Amino acid sequence: MPFKNLLEVVQSCDKFPYDESVSTSEYHSTIPFRLGPHVVGRLLPSTVPKLKEYNDRFDNAPFEIKDTHITFSSGVDSFEKRTDVVKALFDTWREEKAFVALAGWRNELYPVYGDLSRQDNVAFVMERAATPIFGISTFGCHLNAFTKEEDGTIKMWIARRSKTKQTWPGYLDNCVAGGITYKYSTHQTMVKECDEEASIPEHIAEKSRNCGAITYFTYSENGLQPETQYIFDLQLPSDVTPKPQDGEVECFYLWTLNEINQKILDGEFKLNCALVIVDFLIRHSFITADTEADYLDILYHLHRRLEFPGPRKTL
Amino acid sequence: MPFKNLLEVVQSCDKFPYDESVSTSEYHSTIPFRLGPHVVGRLLPSTVPKLKEYNDRFDNAPFEIKDTHITFSSGVDSFEKRTDVVKALFDTWREEKAFVALAGWRNELYPVYGDLSRQDNVAFVMERAATPIFGISTFGCHLNAFTKEEDGTIKMWIARRSKTKQTWPGYLDNCVAGGITYKYSTHQTMVKECDEEASIPEHIAEKSRNCGAITYFTYSENGLQPETQYIFDLQLPSDVTPKPQDGEVECFYLWTLNEINQKILDGEFKLNCALVIVDFLIRHSFITADTEADYLDILYHLHRRLEFPGPRKTL
């Protein structure tokens, strides 16, 4: 689907309502999942009766379900206990095919932040595919791999997603991207994914540089997805060509920023990857305040303040 | 005053409360200045009685003052009429020495955005020094002027503010910065200020590149200051040295990023200029998510979503 302008692109991704009071749609009346002083996730109203039904199967119900919020029962008070309780729930729901999101089960554990008594602030871990059901904030890394000619002209490497991918098959994508698995740093994630997704050797991938992060709140048929993507830039030498390796990518293209900008407007990109590129186009002065009418609104959508706690790494 | 960490730096600037319901301080109970569907400014509670007293002097009161908001009276319905009414108010208050902010009168007109019937979205213009009294969102340009050695080492030019400056005398500052006067583009402002403040010749200043914007909401004895600073980067050749010209700057230093980072923590910078540099340090990967515990919170404070309308330039 083509877009009118770049503001429409970023709004189509960062689409969770900013003002929850203005409508009665289910996205305007989500229920916070609380942990102490924090909101660590949000549930759609339609999920709550299912959670109640599950809870009622136990003498010691694992969750406390109130009108205003949901939390763990008082005995579920440690990393291990929270992790066990959440695992049991989603294992059951997976077996019962209770949610479409769980068909994409990945056997990959994601951290849920919000326990400052631990150095890494991780309150529990849970299956990646289940995070949208609890509206858990997730964290990934995306790479802008580009070349720079002597006159300063920048071209960027763009991936075409495999037609057999479960999500966004055949759409355009950043050169490399991946979720941050529990206990990986952002840079370690980037180097690992560079190898797995684009055959970029380690000694080159290590030169990738973290240049910011984008934050947005989207949703899909899977549920609610507040997301943070750490952004890396990597200038590739002209003799290094990304190559597909793990079957996730069909092929790579090297395009000018004009071509890429047009393909974003044409709706050919997986949406959150378009946001990563818009951030790049702003940082590299391809999009400027003097020529883009919606400059500030676009920046707001790239940097949405999420209420959910994030990682706090020990220095 | 030294800071514990960079989060404390950005919070000390972006300090207007995020949740207006949590306290009874005057910053938690500001009154919106409305124009049609927009909030174009905010008044401190202590300003409202003064505005009422002024309003009562007229048979046809220029402002409509309600408990929930303030706006122009219905007859004040054009760019020219709004501008006249606001000019008369602040001319009077200046003469009566009603606000400390007006001692810094500049004879410089700032645009107030919020009238989409005009191509530039400007609802009226007003004296720059008066904007904090109405909590009007203002717009400026700041320059990161830097050098890059062959091994990639970056040093940045930093200005020392003149000891006779009205605000922040003797503090460190960005190499060049200036407010955007009515009818100037961001790039025109930058080139003009490069000449006036640092004697950087036009043919070099023109190479400055807009690489983003920071938005924050601060306050001072002058009043409320929601601000947007458009960020420009300019790599200077090693034989170009900024030189003071207009008496605003005492001298310039060329420092490493480590030195500058330390001086930010030592509290030696004018606060909003520290934010401009933190944004630079993030974009140039001196500060990264793997080493900065508060990475995301810092980004949120650099990109606060302001409720006030901004410029919408015609393409």
Side-chain angles (χ1 to χ4, degrees):
Chain A
M1 189 191 65
F3 297 99
K4 267 200 323 248
N5 51 43
L6 290 177
L7 180 59
E8 210 178 77
V9 173
V10 296
Q11 283 174 333
S12 302
C13 184
D14 182 38
K15 65 184 172 180
F16 186 81
Y18 275 82
D19 181 351
E20 295 212 32
S21 64
V22 297
S23 149
T24 55
S25 100
E26 63 172 349
Y27 297 109
H28 287 84
S29 49
T30 58
I31 294 91
F33 192 103
R34 289 196 163 275
L35 193 64
H38 302 300
V39 173
V40 300
R42 287 198 165 265
L43 277 69
L44 287 172
S46 55
T47 305
V48 180
K50 294 181 179 175
L51 189 64
K52 275 189 183 144
E53 189 274 321
Y54 175 83
N55 226 24
D56 288 344
R57 302 181 197 177
F58 298 85
D59 291 334
N60 286 317
F63 299 98
E64 204 177 287
I65 303 172
K66 304 203 171 175
D67 285 347
T68 53
H69 69 274
I70 291 161
T71 186
F72 289 108
S73 293
S74 57
V76 184
D77 57 1
S78 69
F79 174 91
E80 290 75 17
K81 288 180 192 169
R82 293 176 203 126
T83 298
D84 287 349
V85 154
V86 170
K87 181 180 186 319
L89 169 70
F90 287 111
D91 281 350
T92 304
W93 275 353
R94 182 192 186 190
E95 221 176 276
E96 295 172 355
K97 299 190 179 9
F99 288 88
V100 59
L102 301 179
W105 198 272
R106 295 189 178 229
N107 279 317
E108 193 180 333
L109 289 177
Y110 262 30
V112 180
Y113 298 99
D115 183 351
L116 276 173
S117 74
R118 286 168 52 99
Q119 282 204 329
D120 61 5
N121 195 25
V122 177
F124 58 101
V125 295
M126 65 183 285
E127 159 61 26
R128 174 175 178 170
T131 55
I133 298 168
F134 269 15
I136 299 294
S137 204
T138 61
F139 298 81
C141 292
H142 285 241
L143 180 72
N144 298 298
F146 63 98
T147 62
K148 205 169 190 171
E149 288 166 28
E150 274 184 29
D151 65 355
T153 305
I154 291 176
K155 290 184 182 173
M156 200 190 263
W157 285 101
I158 298 296
R160 170 82 66 191
R161 294 166 69 84
S162 154
K163 292 197 181 64
T164 61
K165 285 277 275 191
Q166 207 171 22
T167 57
W168 301 88
Y171 276 81
L172 298 174
D173 199 334
N174 301 125
C175 182
V176 176
I180 302 178
T181 309
Y182 183 45
K183 292 200 169 164
Y184 272 73
S185 77
T186 64
H187 196 251
Q188 285 166 344
T189 301
M190 201 72 264
V191 173
K192 177 172 75 74
E193 297 283 342
C194 273
D195 171 45
E196 290 175 10
E197 295 197 342
S199 319
I200 298 173
E202 188 177 326
H203 71 277
I204 291 177
E206 273 183 344
K207 293 180 183 159
S208 63
R209 290 287 168 266
N210 179 203
C211 301
I214 61 169
T215 46
Y216 53 87
F217 197 158
T218 195
Y219 53 81
S220 70
E221 55 167 11
N222 288 333
L224 302 172
Q225 293 166 249
E227 296 184 351
T228 299
Q229 309 295 357
Y230 297 100
I231 307 294
F232 286 76
D233 279 6
L234 174 59
Q235 185 176 340
L236 285 179
S238 58
D239 59 344
V240 174
T241 302
K243 286 180 201 64
Q245 184 173 158
D246 61 3
E248 311 265 304
V249 172
E250 190 177 291
C251 63
F252 289 98
Y253 308 103
L254 184 63
W255 281 330
T256 65
L257 300 185
N258 264 321
E259 287 171 312
I260 292 167
N261 188 59
Q262 189 56 51
K263 282 174 196 297
I264 288 174
L265 291 171
D266 291 345
E268 292 196 33
F269 271 90
K270 177 169 181 275
L271 259 180
N272 66 339
C273 302
L275 269 60
V276 172
I277 295 176
V278 170
D279 172 80
F280 180 92
L281 296 178
I282 289 173
R283 286 185 295 109
H284 291 266
S285 202
F286 180 87
I287 298 172
T288 71
D290 288 339
T291 56
E292 170 54 62
D294 302 307
Y295 195 74
L296 294 176
D297 285 331
I298 289 170
L299 276 170
Y300 292 146
H301 282 291
L302 297 178
H303 296 287
R304 183 177 189 140
R305 186 183 184 86
L306 300 173
E307 66 189 315
F308 316 100
R312 276 195 57 94
K313 295 194 178 54
T314 310
L315 295 179
Chain B
M1 190 190 64
F3 297 98
K4 268 201 322 252
N5 52 43
L6 290 177
L7 180 59
E8 211 179 74
V9 174
V10 296
Q11 283 174 333
S12 301
C13 183
D14 183 38
K15 64 184 173 180
F16 187 81
Y18 274 82
D19 182 350
E20 295 212 30
S21 64
V22 296
S23 149
T24 55
S25 99
E26 65 173 348
Y27 297 110
H28 287 84
S29 48
T30 57
I31 295 90
F33 192 106
R34 290 197 162 275
L35 193 63
H38 303 299
V39 173
V40 300
R42 286 197 166 267
L43 276 70
L44 287 173
S46 55
T47 305
V48 180
K50 293 182 180 176
L51 189 64
K52 274 189 182 145
E53 189 274 322
Y54 175 83
N55 225 24
D56 287 344
R57 303 181 197 178
F58 298 84
D59 290 335
N60 285 317
F63 299 98
E64 203 177 288
I65 302 171
K66 304 204 169 173
D67 285 346
T68 54
H69 69 273
I70 291 162
T71 187
F72 289 108
S73 293
S74 58
V76 183
D77 56 1
S78 69
F79 174 91
E80 289 75 17
K81 288 182 193 167
R82 293 178 204 124
T83 299
D84 287 348
V85 154
V86 171
K87 182 179 185 319
L89 169 70
F90 286 111
D91 282 348
T92 304
W93 276 353
R94 182 191 185 192
E95 222 176 274
E96 297 172 355
K97 299 190 179 11
F99 288 88
V100 59
L102 301 180
W105 197 272
R106 294 186 179 233
N107 279 317
E108 193 180 333
L109 290 177
Y110 262 29
V112 180
Y113 298 99
D115 182 351
L116 276 172
S117 74
R118 286 168 52 101
Q119 283 204 327
D120 60 7
N121 195 26
V122 177
F124 57 102
V125 294
M126 64 184 286
E127 159 62 24
R128 175 176 179 171
T131 54
I133 299 168
F134 270 14
I136 298 295
S137 205
T138 61
F139 299 80
C141 291
H142 285 240
L143 180 73
N144 298 297
F146 63 98
T147 62
K148 206 170 190 171
E149 287 165 29
E150 274 185 28
D151 65 356
T153 305
I154 291 176
K155 290 185 183 172
M156 199 189 266
W157 286 102
I158 299 296
R160 169 83 66 190
R161 293 165 71 84
S162 155
K163 291 196 181 64
T164 60
K165 285 277 276 190
Q166 203 170 25
T167 58
W168 301 88
Y171 276 80
L172 298 173
D173 199 333
N174 302 125
C175 181
V176 177
I180 302 176
T181 309
Y182 182 47
K183 291 199 169 167
Y184 272 74
S185 77
T186 65
H187 196 252
Q188 285 167 343
T189 302
M190 201 73 265
V191 173
K192 176 173 74 77
E193 297 283 341
C194 274
D195 171 45
E196 291 175 7
E197 296 197 341
S199 320
I200 298 173
E202 188 176 327
H203 72 277
I204 292 178
E206 272 182 347
K207 293 180 182 157
S208 63
R209 289 287 168 264
N210 179 203
C211 300
I214 61 169
T215 46
Y216 52 86
F217 197 158
T218 195
Y219 53 81
S220 71
E221 56 167 10
N222 288 334
L224 302 172
Q225 294 166 249
E227 296 185 352
T228 298
Q229 309 296 357
Y230 296 100
I231 307 293
F232 286 76
D233 280 4
L234 173 61
Q235 184 176 340
L236 284 180
S238 57
D239 60 345
V240 174
T241 303
K243 285 180 201 64
Q245 183 171 155
D246 60 5
E248 310 266 303
V249 172
E250 189 178 290
C251 62
F252 289 98
Y253 307 104
L254 184 63
W255 281 330
T256 66
L257 300 185
N258 265 320
E259 288 172 309
I260 292 167
N261 189 59
Q262 189 55 51
K263 283 175 195 295
I264 289 174
L265 292 171
D266 291 344
E268 292 195 33
F269 271 91
K270 177 168 182 272
L271 259 178
N272 67 338
C273 302
L275 269 61
V276 171
I277 295 176
V278 170
D279 173 79
F280 181 91
L281 296 178
I282 289 173
R283 287 186 292 107
H284 291 266
S285 203
F286 180 88
I287 297 171
T288 71
D290 288 338
T291 56
E292 171 54 62
D294 302 307
Y295 194 75
L296 295 177
D297 285 330
I298 290 170
L299 277 170
Y300 292 146
H301 282 290
L302 297 178
H303 296 287
R304 182 177 189 141
R305 186 183 184 87
L306 299 173
E307 68 190 312
F308 316 100
R312 277 195 57 92
K313 296 197 177 51
T314 310
L315 296 177

